[in-house]
Amino acid sequence: MTLKSINPYTGKVIQEFETFSDTEINEALEKSDEAFDEWKRTTFEYRKKLMLKVADLLKESNSLLAQTITKEMGKTKAEATTEIEKCAWVCEHYAENAESMLHREAVATDAHMAFVQFEPLGTILGVMPWNFPFWQVFRFAAPTLMAGNVIVLKHASNVQISARAIQGIFEKAGFPPGVFQNLVIGSEKVKDIVEHKVVKAISLTGSEQTGAEVAQLAGKNIKKTVLELGGNNSFIVLKDAEIDKAVEIGLKARMQNAGQSCIAAKRFIVHKNISEEFIEKFRKAINNLSFGDPFNMQSDIGPLSSKKQAEVVIQQVRKSVEMGAKVIAGDMPEGALYPPTLVTGVKPGMPLFEEEVFGPVAPIIIAQDTEEAIYLSNLSNYGLGVSLFTNNLERAEELIPEFEDGAVFVNALVKSHPRLPFGGTKQSGYGRELALNGIREFVNVKTVYIDKFQDIRTDKKRTAISMGTPG
């Protein structure tokens, strides 16, 4: 069996990869287990040195790596360049902070000494998607490796050139053999790897269906998972918002990566009092965007990842229009090239409201008041993030607890940041990546209790208290 990397702009096959045999998979997992036995004993200073070298290599090779992203999945060269920069940033962040994040924590008890320490688990399987082929891997890998774990990666089938390049970067930086390995496999092999005794936990970024299947399998084998799944983020514009700013940020929030992002703004919920002005300004902004060759630095949007992906978006728009929605900007796509599109009259029940739309389509939903805007925002099976636009920051703080999502960004687009935890609620998954929370997902939180030996005949009261009740 082979995996193919296909340029979505030209439709041409770039490269084919022979998938690993069962023997090669087992050898890789055994190699990972052996590597962990040594890697877990290394110092933070040693890991830091290697991770900073990774950051340097990413910076030095930015243009070449960005070109790989653009060829494989169609992201514009400018956006791909930014993606590589962000990968270097997360490597530097955890290189500098991992030791303090995982420093043992003293706890006051009746013991002579008690503390909590954080120890690595072993081999962690990363199942990663194609839409941010470097960033999704590095935001998982940097904290996981700095914590002393080792990684086997199952990357998306269509970005194997990126996957190979990532492994090459870690190897060139000096990471020992087996600490980071890319497994050239299809989805059908994931089950066996999840069940393999060497694999201790799984981090998955992907679709709701894939997440549910992996979580069920991991649960059956009593293995921890962190799931970052789909999103249907609302972008709420209240009547006192700065409309020009909301349009500018909303355009970027929806159209970046051609709309193929779990945290993209996917439902624009606009207060009725300012809806006409917002829609007209958004329509003009969309019509000014250029789309086409992702290597052209003048292109704002490149192709979707495939013609098949474009066909999915076409159906979502078409069905919504049949139910009463109206396209007021945009045209029919050509192959994988999908034009920036604006749709009004979107209501609950329509695909553009209910489903995650992985394409540059902005649906407009009108809210009668703030309360209805919040209701519509929460009327979703997903819960990744919300953007709330208003000039009343005091009121915004009061509203934040009303949202059911994992993040609320006021007057800003939803984004991931190395210093902030990232993750969702409901069908968007569970667990957190990044920040302190992220690095502590894949560690053994070990309680240590040390007491002095004492003769129970001379200190019966203290001994009774220290022994406590088992359990």
Side-chain angles (χ1 to χ4, degrees):
M1 179 180 174
T2 59
L3 304 180
K4 295 181 180 180
S5 287
I6 300 173
N7 184 325
Y9 182 67
T10 64
K12 295 181 179 179
V13 175
I14 307 170
Q15 192 169 347
E16 297 186 21
F17 297 83
E18 286 292 330
T19 55
F20 282 13
S21 65
D22 289 342
T23 299
E24 289 173 315
I25 292 171
N26 285 326
E27 288 175 351
L29 291 171
E30 290 171 6
K31 184 177 181 180
S32 176
D33 197 36
E34 293 171 0
F36 173 65
D37 193 51
E38 296 296 327
W39 181 250
K40 69 182 179 181
R41 304 176 197 280
T42 59
T43 65
F44 279 107
E45 191 61 32
Y46 176 68
R47 297 175 207 161
K48 173 181 176 178
K49 178 182 177 182
L50 299 186
M51 192 61 72
L52 289 176
K53 179 61 176 175
V54 168
D56 289 340
L57 290 171
L58 287 167
K59 293 176 183 178
E60 292 169 8
S61 304
N62 188 316
S63 180
L64 182 61
L65 297 174
Q67 181 173 310
T68 297
I69 294 174
T70 301
K71 280 185 177 180
E72 272 199 303
M73 54 74 60
K75 181 175 302 186
T76 65
K77 181 71 180 299
E79 288 185 334
T81 298
T82 300
E83 179 174 341
I84 299 300
E85 291 171 353
K86 196 169 183 179
C87 293
W89 181 21
V90 78
C91 289
E92 291 170 341
H93 175 72
Y94 279 107
E96 298 293 346
N97 296 289
E99 183 172 10
S100 62
M101 289 174 169
L102 297 177
H103 191 272
R104 75 183 191 187
E105 298 175 349
V107 181
T109 69
D110 59 319
H112 169 65
M113 181 186 298
F115 54 87
V116 176
Q117 66 184 36
F118 306 95
E119 300 175 356
L121 297 178
T123 298
I124 313 299
L125 169 64
V127 182
M128 296 294 141
W130 49 261
N131 57 332
F132 289 86
F134 274 71
W135 168 244
Q136 305 279 19
V137 174
F138 276 94
R139 79 177 185 191
F140 151 69
T144 301
L145 294 173
M146 286 302 299
N149 296 297
V150 296
I151 288 172
V152 288
L153 170 67
K154 189 281 174 200
H155 214 330
S157 299
N158 61 328
V159 289
Q160 286 300 308
I161 299 176
S162 295
R164 184 177 63 181
I166 292 169
Q167 177 173 322
I169 289 168
F170 281 108
E171 291 174 348
K172 189 174 181 180
F175 279 76
V179 172
F180 184 101
Q181 296 180 87
N182 174 54
L183 306 180
V184 185
I185 58 172
S187 299
E188 74 283 351
K189 293 295 183 181
V190 171
K191 179 179 182 295
D192 292 340
I193 296 171
V194 170
E195 292 182 326
H196 199 286
K197 64 180 181 179
V198 166
V199 172
K200 301 300 187 261
I202 304 95
S203 178
L204 180 145
T205 299
S207 70
E208 178 186 344
Q209 180 181 347
T210 302
E213 292 172 356
V214 169
Q216 183 180 33
L217 186 60
K220 182 180 177 181
N221 289 272
I222 321 296
K223 295 183 180 182
K224 184 174 184 179
T225 53
V226 169
L227 302 181
E228 199 278 278
L229 308 179
N232 198 3
N233 289 6
S234 59
F235 188 100
I236 300 172
V237 187
L238 299 183
K239 63 181 179 181
D240 64 344
E242 290 186 21
I243 296 178
D244 289 342
K245 181 179 181 181
V247 168
E248 177 188 354
I249 296 177
L251 192 71
K252 182 178 180 181
R254 185 64 194 114
M255 301 300 165
Q256 62 178 333
N257 200 27
Q260 300 170 115
S261 170
C262 58
I263 56 173
K266 298 194 176 79
R267 294 176 299 150
F268 288 80
I269 302 173
V270 185
H271 193 285
K272 65 176 183 178
N273 289 13
I274 49 92
S275 60
E276 289 186 10
E277 182 180 357
F278 179 86
I279 290 170
E280 179 56 22
K281 289 183 175 180
F282 205 92
R283 185 186 66 80
K284 289 181 178 179
I286 276 185
N287 286 335
N288 286 331
L289 293 175
S290 62
F291 72 104
D293 185 351
F295 278 104
N296 184 342
M297 298 305 286
Q298 303 305 312
S299 294
D300 297 303
I301 298 177
L304 298 188
S305 63
S306 66
K307 184 178 179 181
K308 182 179 178 181
Q309 179 59 36
E311 290 170 351
V312 171
V313 180
I314 289 172
Q315 290 303 314
Q316 290 173 312
V317 173
R318 182 173 294 161
K319 289 180 181 179
S320 296
V321 169
E322 291 172 355
M323 297 172 71
K326 183 179 180 181
V327 176
I328 65 170
D331 203 347
M332 288 300 293
E334 297 180 12
L337 276 174
Y338 203 109
T341 302
L342 183 63
V343 185
T344 58
V346 175
K347 299 180 183 300
M350 296 179 180
L352 291 183
F353 186 97
E354 303 291 343
E355 301 173 7
E356 180 175 31
V357 181
F358 240 47
V361 178
I364 303 291
I365 302 105
I366 305 300
Q368 298 300 308
D369 51 35
T370 300
E371 288 68 29
E372 186 181 29
I374 295 171
Y375 168 76
L376 290 168
S377 178
N378 289 332
L379 193 64
S380 172
N381 292 328
Y382 298 98
L384 196 52
V386 173
S387 287
L388 176 64
F389 279 75
T390 174
N391 274 333
N392 189 338
L393 298 186
E394 184 177 342
R395 176 62 174 150
E397 287 193 51
E398 293 174 355
L399 295 176
I400 288 170
E402 302 299 320
F403 295 103
E404 299 170 353
D405 299 65
V408 177
F409 282 66
V410 179
N411 297 330
L413 56 81
V414 177
K415 57 187 175 182
S416 55
H417 190 295
R419 297 188 182 92
L420 295 171
F422 180 84
T425 61
K426 298 190 278 190
Q427 299 303 307
S428 289
Y430 52 74
R432 291 295 180 265
E433 294 183 293
L434 302 175
L436 174 67
N437 310 70
I439 198 170
R440 290 188 176 182
E441 286 284 4
F442 297 123
V443 294
N444 175 19
V445 183
K446 180 178 286 186
T447 294
V448 179
Y449 184 102
I450 302 173
D451 209 354
K452 291 180 178 178
F453 176 81
Q454 292 196 350
D455 191 329
I456 61 174
R457 293 171 298 179
T458 62
D459 196 355
K460 292 182 180 180
K461 183 177 179 180
R462 183 176 183 280
T463 301
I465 293 172
S466 65
M467 290 179 68
T469 303

